[in-house]
Amino acid sequence: MTAPAPGQALRRALGAAFGGAMNLLEAPMRLAQAKLRGGRIGWVFVVPNLSVFGLFTFLPILIDLVYAATGGNQLFPAQRPYVGTANFRALLACRNYLDPNTCTRDLFWHGVYNTAEFVVLQVGFMVGLSLVTALALNRPGRGRGFFRAVFFYPVLLSPVVVALIWKWVLQRYGVLNALLSALGLAPHDWLLNATTAFFWSVFVSIWAHMGFYTLILLAGLQAIPRDVYEAAAMDATPPWRRFRRITLPLLMPSLLVVLVLALIRAVQIFDEVYVLTGGGPGTSTTFLVQFIYQTGFAQQVREYGMAAAASLLLAGVLMALTVLQLRLARPKS
Amino acid sequence: MSGLVGMLTARRGRLARDWTDWASLAYLLLGVLVMFLPVLWLFASSLKSDQALNAFPPTFLPWEPAQVAVPGQPGHLPLMQVTAGPLAGRRLAELRHIGLMAQMLDPARPGRVLPIPVRDLRPVLRLHASWSNFTDLVRRFNFFGYFWNSVLITTLATLITLLINSMAAFALSKYRFAGRDAVFALMLATLMVPPTIVLVPNFLIAARLDLVNSIWGVIWPGVATPTGVFLLRQYMLTIPDDLIEAARMDNASEWRIYWRIVLPLSAPALAVLAIFSVMWRWNDFLWPMVVLNRSSVFTLPLALFSFQGDLQTQWHYLLAMTVLTLLPVTVIFLFLQRSITQGIASAGVK
Amino acid sequence: MLRLLDVGKTYGTVSVMRDVSFDVAAGEFIVFVGPSGCGKSTLLRMICGLETVTAGRIEIDGKLANDIPAASRGLALVFQSYALYPHMTVRQNMAFGLENLRTPKPEIERRVAEAARMLRLENLLARRPTQLSGGQRQRVAIGRAIVREPRIFLFDEPLSNLDAELRVEMRAELAQLHRRLATTMIYVTHDQVEAMTMADRIVVLRAGAVEQVGAPLELYNRPANRFVAGFIGSPRMNFLDGHVTASEAGWTTVEIAGVGPIRARGTLRTGTQASLGIRPEHVATVPAGAEGTVNLVRGQVASIEQLGSASFVRLADPALNLQIPGQTDVRFGDEIVVSLPPEHVHLFDDQGAAQPRP
C-alpha cells in the first residue's frame, strides 16, 4: 500500500466529513419523507430558505411600514408613538423643490439630487466604457486573458480597500499631485473641493465596478455567432455599419441587462464613496443610502422612522427598476 | 471618429492585422495602467516607513534617509553626503545643525566634530522595506482577530448559503407540490428588496434575536439569496429526471438523492454561487457596520474603516492593513482567475 | 407473480390508461409493444411505482402494490437513457443501490464482481459513464439492475439509443441473460421485431388500452383485430376494404371495389362493411392460364425490390404487397394475376375485430 497524495487525502477527508454531516440528517429526512407523500417532501427542502427570507426580508418590509408610520427614537415598535404620514411629510416638505436648502430635511434632498446626478454620470460612463473595453477584449491576440483579469480585479476588492487605495493616490501629497507638479501643473486637494470630490466619487466607483459589466458584455459578444459576421463580410458591410446593424442589435439583450443592473446598484451607492469622502465636503457627495444610514444609526438621536420612510421611497425606485429588469430579461416571444 | 469606429467594430477571426488592432492594444494598455497602477502604488507605499511616506515628491520604491550608528553617540544619526568643499564626496553623520552650519561626525573617526555648511549636505538615501509596518500591525493591533472574523463569517455564510439555497433549488426544480410556483415567485420577488431597504428593521430583528455584535448577526440575513436559488434552480433543471428516478429505484431516500446525486452534479453552479458568496461576504460593509459595533467582532473592512478614522496620520499602518486585506482575495484570484471570470460571465448572461 | 386488474390512470380529467388487466407468470419475458404515445412506458412506470395508479389494482406476489413506494417493490428498472450517475464510476453506479440498503460491504463487492463478470464489465469498473461506449453504458445499466437481485426486471426501450448492429447483438445478450437468471422481465419497445424475437408473451397496447395479449406467433397468426394484425409482422399485412355480399356455412364473401368478390373464413351480416387482411408472404402469384383458382386479383406492378433471398413486389390498384421467396422475373409495369388463398385471409368486421375462423 502506498500512501495517497496529500491533496487526495485532504479531498477524501473533506468528502468523509461532508458525507458524515449529511448522513446526520438522513434519519429525520426519512421520517419526513414517510409522513409527506408525493412531492410534498419538497416543502421540507424549501423551509430553511423560506424562513430566512421570511425573517430577514418579508417581515422587515412590514416592520419598515410600521417604523415609517411611527416616531420617536425607541427601537421596539411597541414603544413608538403613531405619527401617520408625518415622516413622509417631513421628508417631502420643501418650499422650492429645486433648492434642497429650502427643505425641512435638506440632507435628504441633497441625497436625492446627488444620487440622481451620480446615477446618470456613473451609469452612462461606466456602461459606455464597459462596452468599449469588451469590444477591445473581444479580439484575437495574446494576453487577452491577462487584460480581462486586470479589468476584473477591482471588482473583487472590498469597497473600503478601493476607497483607501484612491484616497492614498488623491491625498494632498499623493502621487497624482506629484505627477501634476512634475508636469508643472498646480496640485489640488481633490477630496476637499465639492466638484472634484464628486468627480472622483464617480470615477472610483466606475473603476471598481466596470470589470463586472465588461465581463457580461464580453460574454454577450462571444455568444454572437461567427457566421453572422462572415455573412456580413460576404456582403462587404463597412465596419461602422457592421457595428450598428449587427453587433449592437445582437448585443442589445446583454446591454439592457447591464444597464439595469448598473442602475439598481448605482441608486444604492454608499460604501466606497462613504469611505472615500465621508459624504463631504459639506453634503456634496452625500447619497440617499448614506442619509438612511446616518439618520438611522450614525447620529446622536437615531430617527428610525425617518430612515424607514426614506428606505420605502428608495424601495419604490428600486422596485420600478427591477420590474424593468424582469421585463427586459424575459425573452421576446 | 473613424478610428474609434474601426476599433469598435473589428473583431476576432480576421487574419490581417491593421492599425485598429494597435489602437485596441493601446486602449487596453492604458486600461491596465489605470486599473492596476493604483494597486501597485499601494503595495509599494505599504513598504515605506512613516518618514518615507511623508516625502514629496514621493518615490515609487521605499527610499529613506540612511542612518548610521556612531560610537559614543546614543541612537542613530542621519547620514549625509558632502557635495562641496574640501570634504566633498565623504559621507558623514549629522550630530546637529545650528543655523546654516551643521556639526558632522565621521563615523570612522568620531572624535572630531566637523562644521560644514548645510547647503553642502545632501541626505544619503537607501532602499529600506519597512516590514515593521506589517509586523507592528500584527503585534500592536488585533489584525488576526479581524482576519479570523472575516474568514469565519465568509466561510460559514458561504456554506450555509450553498446548503439552503441548493435545497430550495432542488425542491423547486425536481418536485411538484402545491404552492411551489408561489414559493418561487415569492423568492424572485425578494430580488426587489436589497439589504439597504431593510437596514432598520433587520437591526431590530437582530437586536430581538440577540445577534447584535455576533458574527451570526452578520451571517444570517444574507444567506437566503434569490440570485443563488435562481442560478441553482436553472442549472438543476438541466439534470435529467431519469437520474432521480433511477436513484429512487435504487432505494435512495429523497435526502440522499439530494446530496449524493443532485448536489455533485450541480458542482459548476455551486462553484459560481460560492464565488459570488465569498465576494459578497469578504467585502460586505454596510450591514456589518450596523450590526457590529464592538471592535473585537469587527471584520477586516470594518477594522480598516475604523482605522482610517483613528490612524488618519499613521498612513504606514493603514496602507499595510489595506494590503493585508486585499492580499487573500488577490492570491485566490491569481489561482482561480479563469474559472472566476468565466463563472461570473456565464451566470451573468442568463 | 404480477397481476394487473382494471388498471387505469387519469391526469385530471384526461384518461391515459384504462382497464388494463393481465397476469405475468414467474420467469416470463413479457414485452409491451405499441406505437409511441400508446401508454406502454406509463404502464411500466406504474408497475415500478414511479407513476401513481388512479384506478384498479397492481399486485406483486399476491400483495396489493398500488401504494408501495418504488424502492420497496423489489423491482429494477433499466431506463431508456440508462440514467447512469455521471459523477460515479461504473463500480459506484452499481453499488449505489446496495449502499442505500446498507448491504454489508463484502456482499456489495461480491454482487458487483459477479454482475461485472456476467456482463463483461470487469475492466471498466473504474471508468465513468462518459468514458464508455453506448453498448457498454447499456450493460452497466443492466448491471445496476442485476446487483439488486430484483423480483422483476423492467426495461424501458433499452436498445433504442443503440445502432442497428449493436441492437441485434444486445437483443441476443438480453435473451441469454433471461435464460441464465430465469427472472421475470418486462420489456417495453415500439419495435415489433424486438417484441417478436424476445418475448414469451406480448402485450399490444394502443391509446392506453390493451389490444391483445399472447405469444408472438399467436399474435401473428391470430390477431384479435385489425390494429394488431397491422402492427405485428413485417412487411405489414395488406388490407382491402369492401362490403359483405354473402355469408353462410362459415364462409363470407366480401365485394372489393375494383377487384371483385373475395372469399374468407368467418361469418358476418350481409350488407355490413368489412375488411380483409392478408400477409404479403401469403399472396401467391398465379401462372398465366392457371384459371379456376378462387380469389384472383389482377394488378399492375408498381415497384419491385429484389433482396436475393426474397422479392417484394408492390401492385397498384388495388394496393397489394407480395413477398415472393427467392428471385423473380416480374418487371415494372407488368400486369400480373395473384391469388389470395382463403385459408390465409383474415376477416375483420366494421369495428376492426377479427372474425373467428371455424
Side-chain angles (χ1 to χ4, degrees), chain B residues 262-302:
Chain B
V262 174
L263 221 45
L265 291 177
S266 309
L270 288 170
V272 172
L273 180 58
I275 291 168
F276 272 123
S277 172
V278 168
M279 247 166 71
W280 292 332
R281 295 309 186 140
W282 188 261
N283 298 335
D284 202 5
F285 178 62
L286 180 54
W287 173 246
M289 183 158 73
V290 167
V291 83
L292 302 178
N293 36 48
R294 210 168 42 223
S295 75
S296 63
V297 285
F298 274 4
T299 59
L300 273 181
L302 280 190

Side-chain angles (χ1 to χ4, degrees), chain B residues 240-253 256-257 260-262 264-265, chain C residues 45 48 50 71 75 77 79 81 83-88 96-97 99-101 144 148:
Chain B
D241 288 347
D242 271 4
L243 284 182
I244 284 155
E245 291 184 338
R248 219 164 267 160
M249 293 297 291
D250 263 344
N251 265 299
S253 66
R256 228 170 133 71
I257 291 174
R260 283 296 305 269
I261 309 292
V262 174
L265 291 177
Chain C
R45 292 164 58 83
C48 280
L50 292 174
L75 316 177
L77 173 64
F79 289 80
S81 63
L84 298 179
Y85 311 123
H87 58 301
M88 298 186 192
F96 183 68
E99 283 167 7
N100 292 336
L101 290 169
R144 191 169 65 177
R148 298 266 314 279

Side-chain angles (χ1 to χ4, degrees), chain A residues 166-189:
Chain A
W166 283 98
K167 215 171 172 171
W168 177 237
V169 169
L170 297 174
Q171 57 132 337
R172 181 69 180 81
Y173 299 104
V175 64
L176 184 64
N177 280 334
L179 287 177
L180 288 180
S181 324
L183 294 173
L185 299 169
H188 285 277
D189 270 323

Side-chain angles (χ1 to χ4, degrees), chain C residues 27 29 117-120 139 142 146 153 155 159 167-183 185 187 197-200:
Chain C
F29 197 118
R117 191 177 44 74
M118 200 185 294
L119 295 162
R120 290 174 283 115
R139 294 212 298 274
I142 295 171
I146 288 179
F153 281 98
F155 296 90
L159 305 185
R167 212 176 315 178
V168 174
E169 200 177 301
M170 284 306 297
R171 222 151 66 191
E173 269 190 50
L174 274 177
Q176 195 192 352
L177 192 71
H178 179 238
R179 275 196 299 279
R180 175 129 53 128
L181 296 172
T183 313
M185 292 188 176
Y187 185 105
T197 50
M198 300 172 78
D200 291 329

Side-chain angles (χ1 to χ4, degrees), chain A residues 218-241:
Chain A
L218 183 60
L221 281 176
Q222 284 170 349
I224 299 176
R226 247 176 86 169
D227 50 9
V228 176
Y229 286 99
E230 284 163 359
M234 296 299 286
D235 291 342
T237 317
W240 175 245
R241 207 173 143 72

Side-chain angles (χ1 to χ4, degrees), chain C residues 256-290:
Chain C
I256 313 287
V259 173
I262 301 289
R263 280 164 65 79
R265 305 294 302 271
T267 312
L268 277 178
R269 216 147 47 79
T270 310
T272 55
Q273 294 293 315
S275 55
L276 300 173
I278 183 155
R279 298 203 179 273
E281 72 267 28
H282 292 144
V283 180
T285 48
V286 179

Side-chain angles (χ1 to χ4, degrees), chain A residues 78-89:
Chain A
Q79 302 160 351
R80 297 170 57 84
Y82 177 75
V83 298
T85 57
N87 287 323
F88 288 103
R89 281 201 312 261

